[in-house]
Amino acid sequence: MRIDTQIRLAAAAALLGAVACSTSKQSESAGGVDSAAVQPATASAVAPAPGDSTPRAALATKSDSVLVVYKTPTCGCCKGWVSKMKEAGFAVEVHDLPDLTQIKKKAGVPEDLQACHTARIGGYVVEGHVPAADIRRLLAERPKVTGIGTPGMPVGSPGMEGAFKDRYDVMTFGGGKQTVFASH
Ligand SMILES: [Cu+2]
């Protein structure tokens, strides 16, 4: 009986999470999406606008603290993750794109790890709802991998808060065999 109820709650929360991710209202970020937005962070870092040095200069000098996020404009849980990363102290540069297929391909994210958003920081790729502490550890330890990723959209991960918490792993990729980087 209790387990039944928990399963139903879990299903409902998961459904809510999925709905929130796919149907949240459009991002209010200004500016249209164009191909220029797809360029890597380093490209924008070398072209600071006159009189507007702060964010771009930060990109150039503190790339370990600037998280460049690629997401679709309607993804609610992506916005949730961005908020959590900001709360954790990362400067976040968001690029809204209608389709992330090419971004994920270029970033080398394996298909089985693909999630809703793809980010770059300090030369690494961060895929999906990875906790901020894991990103900091990645930057501190600098393993020889392409990046880390949280496959799927586990409830309880940052940006996917819910009535319960899934157990989930953050995996490394691009360094040979995928390995568990952190378990939550
Ligand atoms: Cu998500």
Side-chain angles (χ1 to χ4, degrees), residues 54-156:
T54 317
R56 285 160 199 271
L59 257 188
T61 57
K62 294 182 186 171
S63 61
D64 274 14
S65 63
V66 178
L67 197 58
V68 181
V69 181
Y70 299 92
K71 67 175 191 62
T72 54
T74 53
C75 177
C77 59
C78 300
K79 279 167 93 173
W81 185 73
V82 165
S83 298
K84 290 291 174 187
M85 296 304 109
K86 285 180 178 169
E87 278 172 28
F90 288 108
V92 183
E93 179 188 301
V94 176
H95 297 270
D96 282 329
L97 299 169
D99 183 359
L100 300 177
T101 310
Q102 289 307 313
I103 292 284
K104 292 183 192 300
K105 206 172 173 182
K106 277 187 199 163
V109 181
E111 263 177 43
D112 58 335
L113 291 189
Q114 289 187 3
C116 43
H117 51 262
T118 302
R120 287 184 175 276
I121 187 166
Y124 286 104
V125 176
V126 176
E127 176 75 7
H129 291 262
V130 176
D134 293 341
I135 301 175
R136 294 205 188 286
R137 207 187 108 211
L138 175 75
L139 296 172
E141 295 180 0
R142 299 216 144 262
K144 286 191 171 65
V145 298
T146 301
I148 54 176
T150 301
M153 306 221 292
V155 177

Coordinates of all heavy atoms in Angstrom, one line a residue, residues 54-156:
T54 N 32.9 43.9 -18.8 CA 32.8 43.0 -17.6 C 32.5 41.5 -17.9 O 33.4 40.7 -17.7 CB 31.8 43.6 -16.6 OG1 32.1 44.9 -16.5 CG2 32.0 42.9 -15.3
P55 N 31.4 41.2 -18.6 CA 31.1 39.8 -18.7 C 32.1 39.1 -19.7 O 32.5 38.0 -19.4 CB 29.7 39.8 -19.3 CG 29.3 41.2 -19.6 CD 30.3 42.1 -19.1
R56 N 32.4 39.8 -20.7 CA 33.3 39.1 -21.7 C 34.7 39.0 -21.2 O 35.4 38.0 -21.4 CB 33.3 39.9 -23.0 CG 32.0 39.6 -23.8 CD 31.7 40.7 -24.8 NE 30.3 40.6 -25.2 CZ 29.8 39.9 -26.1 NH1 30.6 39.1 -26.8 NH2 28.5 39.9 -26.4
A57 N 35.2 40.0 -20.5 CA 36.5 39.9 -19.8 C 36.5 38.8 -18.9 O 37.5 38.0 -18.8 CB 36.9 41.2 -19.2
A58 N 35.4 38.6 -18.2 CA 35.3 37.5 -17.2 C 35.4 36.2 -17.9 O 36.1 35.3 -17.4 CB 34.0 37.6 -16.5
L59 N 34.8 36.1 -19.1 CA 34.9 34.9 -19.9 C 36.4 34.6 -20.2 O 36.8 33.4 -20.2 CB 34.2 35.1 -21.2 CG 32.8 34.4 -21.3 CD1 32.3 34.6 -22.8 CD2 32.8 33.0 -21.0
A60 N 37.1 35.6 -20.6 CA 38.5 35.4 -21.1 C 39.4 35.0 -19.9 O 40.3 34.2 -20.1 CB 39.0 36.7 -21.7
T61 N 39.2 35.6 -18.7 CA 40.1 35.4 -17.7 C 39.7 34.4 -16.6 O 40.5 33.9 -15.9 CB 40.4 36.7 -16.9 OG1 39.1 37.2 -16.5 CG2 41.0 37.7 -17.9
K62 N 38.4 34.1 -16.6 CA 37.9 33.2 -15.5 C 37.1 32.1 -16.1 O 36.0 31.8 -15.7 CB 37.1 34.0 -14.5 CG 37.9 35.0 -13.7 CD 36.9 35.6 -12.7 CE 37.6 36.8 -12.0 NZ 36.6 37.5 -11.1
S63 N 37.6 31.5 -17.2 CA 36.8 30.5 -17.9 C 36.4 29.4 -17.0 O 35.4 28.7 -17.2 CB 37.6 30.0 -19.1 OG 38.7 29.4 -18.7
D64 N 37.1 29.1 -15.9 CA 36.7 28.1 -15.0 C 35.5 28.5 -14.2 O 34.9 27.6 -13.5 CB 37.9 27.8 -14.0 CG 38.8 26.7 -14.6 OD1 38.7 26.5 -15.8 OD2 39.6 26.2 -13.8
S65 N 35.1 29.7 -14.2 CA 34.0 30.1 -13.4 C 32.8 30.6 -14.3 O 31.7 30.9 -13.8 CB 34.3 31.2 -12.4 OG 34.7 32.4 -13.1
V66 N 33.0 30.6 -15.6 CA 31.9 30.9 -16.5 C 31.4 29.7 -17.2 O 32.1 29.0 -17.9 CB 32.4 32.0 -17.5 CG1 31.2 32.3 -18.5 CG2 32.8 33.2 -16.9
L67 N 30.1 29.4 -16.9 CA 29.5 28.2 -17.5 C 28.7 28.7 -18.7 O 27.8 29.5 -18.6 CB 28.6 27.7 -16.4 CG 28.0 26.3 -16.5 CD1 29.1 25.2 -16.5 CD2 27.1 26.0 -15.3
V68 N 29.1 28.2 -19.9 CA 28.4 28.5 -21.1 C 27.4 27.4 -21.4 O 27.8 26.3 -21.6 CB 29.4 28.7 -22.3 CG1 28.7 29.0 -23.6 CG2 30.5 29.7 -21.9
V69 N 26.1 27.8 -21.3 CA 25.1 26.8 -21.4 C 24.3 26.9 -22.7 O 23.9 28.0 -23.1 CB 24.1 27.0 -20.2 CG1 23.0 25.9 -20.3 CG2 24.8 26.9 -18.9
Y70 N 24.1 25.8 -23.4 CA 23.3 25.7 -24.6 C 22.0 24.9 -24.2 O 22.1 23.8 -23.7 CB 24.1 25.0 -25.7 CG 25.3 25.7 -26.1 CD1 26.5 25.3 -25.5 CD2 25.3 26.7 -27.0 CE1 27.7 26.0 -25.8 CE2 26.4 27.4 -27.4 CZ 27.6 27.0 -26.8 OH 28.8 27.7 -27.1
K71 N 20.9 25.5 -24.5 CA 19.6 24.9 -24.1 C 18.6 25.3 -25.2 O 18.8 26.3 -25.9 CB 19.2 25.3 -22.7 CG 18.9 26.7 -22.5 CD 18.3 27.0 -21.1 CE 17.7 28.4 -20.9 NZ 16.6 28.6 -21.8
T72 N 17.4 24.7 -25.1 CA 16.3 25.1 -26.0 C 15.6 26.2 -25.2 O 15.5 26.1 -24.0 CB 15.4 23.9 -26.4 OG1 15.0 23.3 -25.2 CG2 16.1 23.0 -27.3
P73 N 14.9 27.1 -25.9 CA 14.3 28.2 -25.2 C 13.1 27.8 -24.3 O 12.8 28.5 -23.4 CB 13.8 29.2 -26.4 CG 13.9 28.4 -27.6 CD 14.9 27.3 -27.4
T74 N 12.5 26.7 -24.6 CA 11.3 26.2 -23.9 C 11.6 25.3 -22.7 O 10.7 24.8 -22.1 CB 10.3 25.6 -24.8 OG1 11.0 24.5 -25.5 CG2 9.7 26.5 -25.8
C75 N 12.9 25.0 -22.5 CA 13.2 24.0 -21.5 C 13.2 24.6 -20.1 O 14.0 25.4 -19.7 CB 14.6 23.4 -21.8 SG 15.2 22.2 -20.6
G76 N 12.2 24.2 -19.3 CA 12.0 24.7 -18.0 C 13.1 24.2 -17.0 O 13.6 25.0 -16.2
C77 N 13.4 22.9 -17.1 CA 14.3 22.4 -16.1 C 15.7 22.8 -16.4 O 16.6 22.9 -15.5 CB 14.2 20.8 -16.1 SG 14.6 20.0 -17.7
C78 N 16.0 23.2 -17.7 CA 17.3 23.8 -18.0 C 17.4 25.1 -17.3 O 18.5 25.5 -16.7 CB 17.4 24.0 -19.5 SG 17.2 22.5 -20.5
K79 N 16.4 25.9 -17.3 CA 16.4 27.2 -16.6 C 16.6 27.0 -15.1 O 17.3 27.7 -14.4 CB 15.1 28.0 -16.8 CG 15.0 28.7 -18.1 CD 13.6 29.2 -18.4 CE 13.4 30.6 -18.0 NZ 12.0 31.0 -18.4
G80 N 16.0 25.9 -14.6 CA 16.1 25.6 -13.2 C 17.6 25.3 -12.9 O 18.1 25.7 -11.8
W81 N 18.2 24.5 -13.8 CA 19.6 24.2 -13.5 C 20.5 25.4 -13.6 O 21.4 25.6 -12.8 CB 20.1 23.1 -14.6 CG 21.4 22.6 -14.4 CD1 21.9 21.7 -13.4 CD2 22.6 22.9 -15.1 NE1 23.2 21.5 -13.5 CE2 23.7 22.2 -14.6 CE3 22.9 23.8 -16.3 CZ2 25.0 22.3 -15.1 CZ3 24.1 23.8 -16.8 CH2 25.2 23.1 -16.2
V82 N 20.2 26.3 -14.6 CA 21.0 27.5 -14.7 C 20.9 28.3 -13.4 O 21.9 28.9 -12.9 CB 20.5 28.4 -15.9 CG1 21.0 29.8 -15.8 CG2 20.9 27.7 -17.2
S83 N 19.7 28.4 -12.8 CA 19.5 29.1 -11.6 C 20.3 28.5 -10.5 O 20.9 29.3 -9.7 CB 18.0 29.1 -11.1 OG 17.2 29.7 -12.1
K84 N 20.3 27.2 -10.4 CA 21.1 26.5 -9.3 C 22.6 26.8 -9.5 O 23.3 27.0 -8.5 CB 20.8 25.0 -9.4 CG 19.4 24.6 -8.9 CD 19.3 24.9 -7.4 CE 17.8 24.7 -7.0 NZ 17.6 25.1 -5.6
M85 N 23.0 26.8 -10.7 CA 24.5 27.1 -11.0 C 24.8 28.5 -10.6 O 25.9 28.8 -10.1 CB 24.8 26.8 -12.4 CG 24.6 25.4 -12.9 SD 25.5 24.2 -11.8 CE 24.2 23.4 -10.9
K86 N 23.9 29.5 -10.9 CA 24.1 30.8 -10.5 C 24.2 31.0 -9.0 O 25.1 31.6 -8.4 CB 23.0 31.7 -11.0 CG 23.2 32.0 -12.5 CD 22.0 32.9 -13.0 CE 22.2 33.2 -14.5 NZ 21.0 33.9 -15.0
E87 N 23.3 30.3 -8.3 CA 23.2 30.3 -6.8 C 24.5 29.7 -6.3 O 25.0 30.1 -5.2 CB 22.1 29.4 -6.3 CG 20.7 30.1 -6.3 CD 19.6 29.1 -5.9 OE1 19.9 28.1 -5.2 OE2 18.5 29.3 -6.4
A88 N 25.1 28.8 -7.0 CA 26.4 28.1 -6.5 C 27.6 29.0 -6.8 O 28.7 28.6 -6.5 CB 26.5 26.8 -7.2
G89 N 27.4 30.1 -7.5 CA 28.5 31.1 -7.7 C 29.1 31.1 -9.1 O 30.0 31.9 -9.4
F90 N 28.5 30.3 -10.0 CA 29.0 30.3 -11.4 C 28.4 31.5 -12.2 O 27.2 31.8 -12.0 CB 28.7 29.1 -12.2 CG 29.5 27.8 -11.7 CD1 28.9 26.8 -11.0 CD2 30.8 27.7 -12.1 CE1 29.6 25.7 -10.6 CE2 31.5 26.6 -11.7 CZ 30.9 25.6 -10.9
A91 N 29.2 32.2 -13.0 CA 28.7 33.1 -13.9 C 28.2 32.3 -15.1 O 28.9 31.3 -15.5 CB 29.8 34.1 -14.4
V92 N 27.0 32.5 -15.6 CA 26.4 31.7 -16.6 C 26.1 32.5 -17.8 O 25.5 33.5 -17.7 CB 25.1 31.0 -16.1 CG1 24.6 30.0 -17.1 CG2 25.4 30.2 -14.8
E93 N 26.5 32.0 -18.9 CA 26.2 32.6 -20.2 C 25.3 31.6 -21.0 O 25.7 30.5 -21.2 CB 27.5 32.8 -21.0 CG 27.3 33.4 -22.4 CD 28.6 33.4 -23.2 OE1 29.6 34.0 -22.7 OE2 28.7 32.8 -24.2
V94 N 24.0 32.0 -21.2 CA 23.1 31.1 -21.8 C 22.9 31.4 -23.3 O 22.7 32.5 -23.7 CB 21.7 31.2 -21.1 CG1 20.7 30.4 -21.7 CG2 21.8 30.9 -19.6
H95 N 22.9 30.3 -24.1 CA 22.6 30.4 -25.5 C 21.4 29.5 -25.7 O 21.4 28.3 -25.5 CB 23.7 29.9 -26.3 CG 25.0 30.7 -26.2 ND1 25.3 31.8 -27.0 CD2 26.0 30.6 -25.3 CE1 26.4 32.3 -26.6 NE2 26.9 31.6 -25.6
D96 N 20.3 30.2 -26.2 CA 19.1 29.4 -26.5 C 19.1 29.0 -28.0 O 19.3 29.9 -28.9 CB 17.8 30.3 -26.3 CG 17.5 30.3 -24.8 OD1 17.7 29.3 -24.1 OD2 16.9 31.3 -24.4
L97 N 19.0 27.8 -28.3 CA 19.0 27.3 -29.7 C 17.8 26.3 -29.9 O 17.4 25.6 -28.9 CB 20.3 26.5 -29.9 CG 21.6 27.2 -29.8 CD1 22.8 26.3 -29.8 CD2 21.7 28.3 -30.9
P98 N 17.2 26.3 -31.1 CA 16.1 25.5 -31.3 C 16.5 24.0 -31.3 O 15.6 23.1 -31.0 CB 15.6 25.9 -32.7 CG 16.7 26.6 -33.3 CD 17.6 27.2 -32.2
D99 N 17.7 23.7 -31.6 CA 18.1 22.3 -31.7 C 19.6 22.1 -31.2 O 20.4 22.9 -31.7 CB 18.0 21.8 -33.2 CG 18.4 20.4 -33.4 OD1 18.7 19.7 -32.4 OD2 18.3 19.9 -34.6
L100 N 19.8 21.2 -30.3 CA 21.1 21.1 -29.7 C 21.9 19.9 -30.3 O 23.0 19.6 -29.8 CB 21.0 20.9 -28.2 CG 20.3 22.0 -27.4 CD1 20.2 21.7 -26.0 CD2 21.0 23.3 -27.6
T101 N 21.4 19.3 -31.4 CA 22.0 18.1 -31.9 C 23.5 18.4 -32.3 O 24.4 17.6 -31.9 CB 21.2 17.6 -33.2 OG1 19.9 17.5 -32.8 CG2 21.8 16.3 -33.6
Q102 N 23.7 19.4 -33.0 CA 25.1 19.7 -33.5 C 26.0 20.1 -32.3 O 27.2 19.7 -32.3 CB 25.1 20.8 -34.5 CG 24.5 20.4 -35.8 CD 25.1 19.2 -36.4 OE1 26.4 19.0 -36.4 NE2 24.3 18.2 -36.8
I103 N 25.5 20.8 -31.3 CA 26.2 21.2 -30.1 C 26.7 19.9 -29.4 O 27.9 19.8 -29.1 CB 25.4 22.0 -29.2 CG1 25.0 23.4 -29.8 CG2 26.0 22.2 -27.8 CD1 26.2 24.4 -29.8
K104 N 25.8 19.0 -29.2 CA 26.1 17.8 -28.5 C 27.1 16.9 -29.3 O 28.0 16.3 -28.7 CB 24.8 17.0 -28.2 CG 23.9 17.7 -27.2 CD 22.7 16.8 -26.8 CE 21.7 17.7 -26.1 NZ 22.2 18.2 -24.8
K105 N 26.9 16.9 -30.6 CA 27.8 16.2 -31.5 C 29.2 16.7 -31.4 O 30.2 16.0 -31.1 CB 27.3 16.2 -32.9 CG 27.7 15.1 -33.8 CD 26.9 15.2 -35.1 CE 27.4 14.1 -36.1 NZ 26.7 14.2 -37.4
K106 N 29.3 18.0 -31.6 CA 30.6 18.7 -31.5 C 31.3 18.6 -30.1 O 32.5 18.5 -30.0 CB 30.5 20.2 -31.8 CG 30.4 20.5 -33.3 CD 30.5 22.0 -33.5 CE 30.0 22.4 -34.9 NZ 29.6 23.8 -35.0
A107 N 30.4 18.6 -29.1 CA 31.0 18.5 -27.7 C 31.4 17.1 -27.4 O 32.0 16.8 -26.4 CB 29.9 18.9 -26.7
G108 N 31.0 16.1 -28.2 CA 31.4 14.7 -28.0 C 30.6 14.0 -26.9 O 31.1 13.1 -26.2
V109 N 29.4 14.4 -26.7 CA 28.5 13.8 -25.7 C 28.0 12.5 -26.3 O 27.3 12.5 -27.3 CB 27.3 14.7 -25.3 CG1 26.5 14.1 -24.3 CG2 27.9 16.1 -24.9
P110 N 28.3 11.4 -25.6 CA 27.8 10.1 -26.1 C 26.2 10.1 -26.1 O 25.6 10.7 -25.2 CB 28.3 9.1 -25.1 CG 29.4 9.8 -24.3 CD 29.1 11.2 -24.4
E111 N 25.7 9.4 -27.0 CA 24.2 9.3 -27.1 C 23.5 8.9 -25.8 O 22.5 9.4 -25.4 CB 23.7 8.5 -28.3 CG 23.4 9.3 -29.5 CD 23.0 8.4 -30.7 OE1 22.3 7.5 -30.5 OE2 23.5 8.7 -31.8
D112 N 24.1 7.9 -25.1 CA 23.5 7.4 -23.9 C 23.6 8.4 -22.8 O 22.9 8.1 -21.7 CB 24.0 6.0 -23.6 CG 25.5 6.0 -23.3 OD1 26.2 6.9 -23.9 OD2 26.0 5.2 -22.6
L113 N 24.3 9.4 -22.9 CA 24.4 10.4 -21.8 C 23.7 11.7 -22.1 O 23.7 12.6 -21.3 CB 25.9 10.7 -21.5 CG 26.7 9.6 -20.8 CD1 28.1 10.2 -20.4 CD2 26.0 9.0 -19.6
Q114 N 23.2 11.8 -23.3 CA 22.6 13.1 -23.7 C 21.4 13.4 -22.9 O 20.5 12.6 -22.6 CB 22.2 13.0 -25.2 CG 23.4 13.0 -26.1 CD 23.1 13.2 -27.6 OE1 22.0 13.3 -28.0 NE2 24.2 13.1 -28.4
A115 N 21.4 14.7 -22.5 CA 20.3 15.2 -21.6 C 19.7 16.5 -22.2 O 19.9 16.7 -23.4 CB 20.8 15.4 -20.2
C116 N 19.1 17.3 -21.4 CA 18.4 18.4 -22.0 C 19.3 19.6 -22.3 O 18.9 20.4 -23.2 CB 17.2 18.8 -21.1 SG 17.7 18.8 -19.3
H117 N 20.4 19.8 -21.6 CA 21.2 21.0 -21.9 C 22.7 20.6 -21.9 O 23.0 19.6 -21.3 CB 21.0 22.1 -20.9 CG 21.0 21.7 -19.5 ND1 19.9 21.4 -18.7 CD2 22.1 21.4 -18.7 CE1 20.3 21.0 -17.5 NE2 21.6 21.0 -17.5
T118 N 23.5 21.3 -22.6 CA 24.9 21.0 -22.7 C 25.7 22.3 -22.3 O 25.3 23.4 -22.8 CB 25.3 20.6 -24.2 OG1 24.5 19.5 -24.5 CG2 26.7 20.3 -24.3
A119 N 26.7 22.1 -21.5 CA 27.4 23.3 -21.1 C 28.9 23.1 -21.2 O 29.4 21.9 -21.4 CB 27.1 23.6 -19.6
R120 N 29.6 24.2 -21.2 CA 31.1 24.1 -21.3 C 31.7 25.0 -20.2 O 31.2 26.1 -19.9 CB 31.6 24.6 -22.6 CG 31.3 23.7 -23.8 CD 32.0 24.3 -25.1 NE 31.8 23.4 -26.2 CZ 32.7 22.3 -26.4 NH1 33.7 22.1 -25.6 NH2 32.5 21.6 -27.5
I121 N 32.7 24.5 -19.6 CA 33.5 25.3 -18.6 C 34.9 24.8 -18.5 O 35.1 23.6 -18.4 CB 32.7 25.3 -17.2 CG1 33.4 26.3 -16.3 CG2 32.7 23.9 -16.6 CD1 32.6 26.6 -15.1
G122 N 35.8 25.7 -18.5 CA 37.2 25.3 -18.2 C 37.7 24.2 -19.2 O 38.6 23.4 -18.7
G123 N 37.2 24.2 -20.4 CA 37.7 23.2 -21.4 C 37.0 21.9 -21.3 O 37.3 20.9 -22.0
Y124 N 36.0 21.8 -20.4 CA 35.2 20.6 -20.2 C 33.8 20.8 -20.7 O 33.3 21.9 -20.8 CB 35.2 20.1 -18.7 CG 36.5 19.6 -18.2 CD1 37.3 20.3 -17.4 CD2 36.8 18.3 -18.6 CE1 38.5 19.8 -16.9 CE2 38.0 17.7 -18.1 CZ 38.9 18.5 -17.3 OH 40.0 17.9 -16.8
V125 N 33.2 19.6 -21.0 CA 31.7 19.6 -21.3 C 31.0 19.1 -20.1 O 31.4 18.2 -19.4 CB 31.5 18.7 -22.5 CG1 30.0 18.6 -22.8 CG2 32.2 19.2 -23.7
V126 N 29.9 19.8 -19.8 CA 29.0 19.3 -18.7 C 27.6 19.1 -19.3 O 27.0 20.0 -19.8 CB 28.9 20.4 -17.6 CG1 27.9 20.0 -16.5 CG2 30.3 20.6 -17.0
E127 N 27.2 17.9 -19.3 CA 25.9 17.5 -19.9 C 24.8 17.2 -18.9 O 25.0 16.4 -18.0 CB 26.1 16.3 -20.8 CG 24.9 15.7 -21.5 CD 24.4 16.6 -22.6 OE1 25.1 17.6 -23.0 OE2 23.3 16.3 -23.1
G128 N 23.7 17.9 -19.0 CA 22.6 17.6 -18.1 C 22.7 18.1 -16.7 O 23.4 19.1 -16.4
H129 N 21.9 17.6 -15.8 CA 21.7 18.1 -14.5 C 22.8 17.7 -13.5 O 22.5 17.1 -12.5 CB 20.3 17.7 -14.0 CG 19.2 18.3 -14.7 ND1 18.5 19.5 -14.2 CD2 18.6 18.0 -15.9 CE1 17.6 19.8 -15.1 NE2 17.6 19.0 -16.1
V130 N 24.0 18.2 -13.8 CA 25.1 17.9 -13.0 C 25.2 18.9 -11.8 O 25.0 20.0 -12.0 CB 26.4 18.0 -13.8 CG1 27.6 17.8 -12.9 CG2 26.4 17.0 -14.9
P131 N 25.3 18.4 -10.6 CA 25.4 19.3 -9.4 C 26.7 20.2 -9.5 O 27.7 19.7 -10.0 CB 25.5 18.3 -8.2 CG 24.9 17.1 -8.7 CD 25.3 17.0 -10.1
A132 N 26.6 21.4 -8.9 CA 27.7 22.3 -9.0 C 28.9 21.8 -8.3 O 30.0 22.0 -8.8 CB 27.2 23.6 -8.3
A133 N 28.8 21.0 -7.2 CA 29.9 20.5 -6.5 C 30.8 19.6 -7.4 O 32.0 19.5 -7.3 CB 29.5 19.8 -5.3
D134 N 30.1 18.9 -8.3 CA 30.8 18.0 -9.2 C 31.5 18.7 -10.2 O 32.6 18.3 -10.7 CB 29.8 17.0 -9.8 CG 29.2 16.0 -8.8 OD1 29.8 15.9 -7.7 OD2 28.1 15.5 -9.1
I135 N 31.0 19.8 -10.7 CA 31.7 20.7 -11.7 C 32.9 21.3 -11.0 O 34.0 21.3 -11.6 CB 30.8 21.8 -12.2 CG1 29.5 21.2 -12.8 CG2 31.5 22.7 -13.2 CD1 28.5 22.3 -13.3
R136 N 32.8 21.7 -9.8 CA 34.0 22.2 -9.1 C 35.1 21.2 -8.9 O 36.2 21.5 -9.1 CB 33.6 22.8 -7.7 CG 32.7 24.0 -7.8 CD 32.8 24.9 -6.6 NE 31.7 25.9 -6.6 CZ 31.8 27.0 -7.4 NH1 32.8 27.2 -8.2 NH2 30.8 27.9 -7.4
R137 N 34.6 20.0 -8.6 CA 35.6 18.9 -8.4 C 36.3 18.6 -9.8 O 37.5 18.3 -9.8 CB 34.9 17.7 -7.9 CG 35.8 16.8 -7.1 CD 35.1 15.5 -6.7 NE 35.6 14.4 -7.4 CZ 34.9 13.3 -7.8 NH1 33.6 13.2 -7.5 NH2 35.4 12.3 -8.5
L138 N 35.5 18.6 -10.8 CA 36.0 18.4 -12.2 C 37.1 19.4 -12.5 O 38.2 19.0 -13.0 CB 34.9 18.5 -13.2 CG 35.3 18.4 -14.7 CD1 35.6 16.9 -15.1 CD2 34.2 18.9 -15.6
L139 N 36.9 20.6 -12.2 CA 37.8 21.7 -12.5 C 39.0 21.6 -11.6 O 40.1 22.0 -11.9 CB 37.1 23.1 -12.3 CG 36.0 23.3 -13.3 CD1 35.3 24.6 -13.0 CD2 36.5 23.4 -14.7
A140 N 38.9 21.1 -10.4 CA 40.0 21.0 -9.4 C 40.9 19.8 -9.8 O 42.1 19.9 -9.7 CB 39.4 20.9 -8.0
E141 N 40.2 18.7 -10.1 CA 41.0 17.4 -10.4 C 41.5 17.3 -11.8 O 42.4 16.6 -12.1 CB 40.1 16.2 -10.0 CG 39.8 16.2 -8.6 CD 38.9 14.9 -8.2 OE1 38.5 14.2 -9.1 OE2 38.5 14.8 -7.0
R142 N 40.8 18.0 -12.7 CA 41.2 18.0 -14.1 C 41.5 16.6 -14.7 O 42.6 16.4 -15.2 CB 42.3 19.0 -14.4 CG 42.0 20.4 -14.0 CD 42.6 21.4 -15.0 NE 41.8 22.5 -15.2 CZ 41.0 22.7 -16.3 NH1 40.9 21.8 -17.2 NH2 40.2 23.7 -16.4
P143 N 40.6 15.7 -14.6 CA 40.8 14.4 -15.2 C 40.9 14.4 -16.8 O 40.4 15.4 -17.3 CB 39.6 13.5 -14.8 CG 38.5 14.6 -14.6 CD 39.2 15.8 -14.1
K144 N 41.5 13.4 -17.3 CA 41.7 13.4 -18.8 C 40.4 12.9 -19.4 O 40.4 11.7 -19.9 CB 42.9 12.6 -19.2 CG 44.2 13.3 -18.9 CD 45.4 12.6 -19.5 CE 46.7 13.4 -19.5 NZ 47.1 13.6 -18.1
V145 N 39.4 13.6 -19.4 CA 38.1 13.3 -20.1 C 37.6 14.5 -20.8 O 38.1 15.6 -20.7 CB 37.1 12.8 -19.0 CG1 37.6 11.6 -18.2 CG2 36.7 14.0 -18.0
T146 N 36.6 14.2 -21.7 CA 35.9 15.3 -22.4 C 35.0 16.1 -21.4 O 34.9 17.3 -21.5 CB 35.1 14.8 -23.6 OG1 36.0 14.1 -24.4 CG2 34.5 15.9 -24.3
G147 N 34.3 15.3 -20.6 CA 33.4 16.0 -19.7 C 32.7 15.0 -18.8 O 33.0 13.8 -18.7
I148 N 31.7 15.5 -18.1 CA 30.9 14.7 -17.2 C 29.4 15.0 -17.5 O 29.0 16.1 -18.0 CB 31.1 15.0 -15.7 CG1 31.0 16.5 -15.4 CG2 32.5 14.5 -15.3 CD1 31.1 16.8 -13.9
G149 N 28.6 14.0 -17.3 CA 27.2 14.1 -17.6 C 26.3 13.3 -16.7 O 26.6 12.3 -16.2
T150 N 25.1 13.9 -16.5 CA 24.0 13.2 -15.8 C 23.0 12.8 -16.8 O 22.3 13.6 -17.4 CB 23.3 14.2 -14.8 OG1 24.2 14.7 -13.8 CG2 22.2 13.4 -14.0
P151 N 23.0 11.4 -17.1 CA 22.0 11.0 -18.1 C 20.6 11.1 -17.6 O 20.3 11.0 -16.4 CB 22.4 9.5 -18.4 CG 23.2 9.1 -17.2 CD 23.8 10.4 -16.6
G152 N 19.6 11.3 -18.5 CA 18.2 11.4 -18.1 C 18.0 12.6 -17.4 O 18.8 13.6 -17.5
M153 N 16.9 12.7 -16.7 CA 16.6 13.9 -15.9 C 16.2 13.4 -14.5 O 15.0 13.5 -14.2 CB 15.5 14.7 -16.6 CG 15.9 15.0 -18.0 SD 15.4 16.6 -18.5 CE 13.7 16.4 -18.5
P154 N 17.1 13.0 -13.7 CA 16.7 12.4 -12.4 C 16.1 13.5 -11.5 O 16.5 14.6 -11.4 CB 18.0 11.9 -11.8 CG 19.1 12.6 -12.6 CD 18.5 12.9 -13.9
V155 N 15.0 13.1 -10.9 CA 14.3 13.9 -9.9 C 15.2 14.1 -8.7 O 15.8 13.1 -8.2 CB 12.9 13.3 -9.5 CG1 12.3 14.2 -8.4 CG2 12.0 13.2 -10.7
G156 N 15.3 15.3 -8.2 CA 16.2 15.6 -7.1 C 17.6 16.1 -7.5 O 18.3 16.6 -6.7

